[in-house]
Amino acid sequence: MQAINKLLMPIRGFLHCETPDAWIAVAKQPQHLPTLLRDHMVCELKAAQSAMLLIRRYAVDDASGEALLKWLAPYEDYTYRLQGDWRELANCNGLRKAMVPRSGKPYSQELIDKMVLLIKEELHHFYQVLEVADAHGIAYDKVTSSRYAKELFRHVRTHEPATLIDKLICGAYIEARSCERFAKLAPHLPADIGEFYISLLRSEARHYQDYLTLAEAIAGASIAERIAFFGAREAELIATADDDFKFHSGVPTATAAA
């Protein structure tokens, strides 16, 4: 417990609010476990997709970008088109081409290194969620997207390098919130799922730090104002009423809790 608290301390300082007890009260109810796990699985894929898009847009040549698309294709086919057997995805978590950095971008290699590792870990977590769900007799089905990420990214500036910096800050908040929620949820879920969520804390904590490190390096100046701005927006989404219960949703309304 001491090690977990030490790991979570900087995350709690980074986030502007804790997950409300009202969200935990709904999330721990057994009838909401299928929604929680399905949405968690999709969140892992979306995290990998976001990292892939950053690499493709800012860091690699066209051939490397195509290799990234092929890497994620089986996961996207299963998630969005319900194609294939999820067990076969265990053999897909590998990038079979070296990424070639785009010339003229001094941060390309660092972006590639951190984001490729993140993609590998997120896809591994994606598969682990499917394993846990299967163990509990929960079949995957499509889920709608929550407001959370869409509303965060709505505030991203539209000129470079500000766009990239803001996207990285958003990524940091999403990863930090995921880490905080894993820790909050773990004691209230079936033991094997709780242990699984605790096992994710270290990588999620590193992901948020990697996003911030990249944002600071690319900015070359203080980004404290933008971090504070997105922290306030993120806290609003977490602390305000939300009629759609999901892994990153806000305070559940009666509709969401039903």
Side-chain angles (χ1 to χ4, degrees):
M1 183 60 69
Q2 186 175 356
I4 291 174
N5 286 332
K6 183 177 181 180
L7 182 70
L8 291 172
M9 191 178 300
I11 287 173
R12 290 169 178 153
F14 179 63
L15 296 171
H16 287 213
C17 74
E18 291 189 27
T19 290
D21 291 340
W23 186 89
I24 298 294
V26 172
K28 70 182 183 181
Q29 295 173 15
Q31 67 267 33
H32 292 295
L33 184 60
T35 297
L36 196 67
L37 289 177
R38 289 165 184 159
D39 192 53
H40 174 191
M41 191 204 83
V42 175
C43 287
E44 298 288 359
L45 177 60
K46 287 182 176 178
Q49 289 175 311
S50 295
M52 178 202 68
L53 290 172
L54 290 175
I55 298 173
R56 291 186 67 223
R57 179 167 182 178
Y58 296 104
V60 297
D61 63 3
D62 290 343
S64 298
E66 288 300 314
L68 286 167
L69 288 174
K70 291 179 181 178
W71 185 17
L72 264 67
Y75 299 89
E76 294 172 332
D77 286 341
Y78 180 78
T79 303
Y80 302 126
R81 290 171 282 279
L82 299 177
Q83 295 177 358
D85 184 339
W86 67 267
R87 294 167 185 81
E88 296 176 1
L89 296 174
N91 302 317
C92 298
N93 192 8
L95 182 60
R96 293 174 174 80
K97 182 185 184 303
M99 295 289 97
V100 179
R102 191 179 299 173
S103 60
K105 301 288 185 181
Y107 51 78
S108 290
Q109 192 60 58
E110 186 177 9
L111 183 64
I112 292 168
D113 292 344
K114 290 187 185 309
M115 293 298 102
V116 166
L117 176 59
L118 185 147
I119 293 170
K120 287 181 178 179
E121 291 181 336
E122 302 290 18
L123 294 181
H124 179 57
H125 298 162
F126 174 97
Y127 187 81
Q128 287 180 298
V129 178
L130 282 169
E131 285 186 310
V132 167
D134 183 67
H136 286 263
I138 298 170
Y140 173 67
D141 199 2
K142 293 181 181 179
V143 292
T144 57
S145 298
S146 69
R147 68 181 186 179
Y148 180 77
K150 179 175 68 176
E151 287 298 311
L152 270 185
F153 283 104
R154 187 168 64 83
H155 300 286
V156 168
R157 293 171 289 182
T158 57
H159 58 281
E160 298 293 357
T163 300
L164 174 55
I165 292 165
D166 283 358
K167 285 180 178 179
L168 291 168
I169 294 171
C170 286
Y173 274 107
I174 293 170
E175 295 291 338
R177 180 60 65 186
S178 297
C179 190
E180 187 253 5
R181 288 213 157 163
F182 288 142
K184 287 272 191 179
L185 278 170
H188 304 289
L189 298 178
D192 61 322
I193 301 178
E195 291 171 5
F196 169 51
Y197 276 9
I198 292 297
S199 76
L200 298 179
L201 296 183
R202 193 168 300 280
S203 59
E204 299 297 319
R206 189 182 68 255
H207 293 169
Y208 115 83
Q209 292 170 336
D210 284 347
Y211 273 119
L212 279 186
T213 299
L214 283 166
E216 289 165 350
I218 292 166
S222 174
I223 57 173
E225 184 177 341
R226 293 305 288 174
I227 291 174
F229 171 82
F230 280 106
R233 303 290 80 73
E234 197 272 346
E236 286 175 4
L237 293 167
I238 293 299
T240 56
D242 195 341
D243 60 7
D244 181 26
F245 174 73
K246 292 291 192 307
F247 189 85
H248 288 104
S249 57
V251 178
T253 63
T255 301

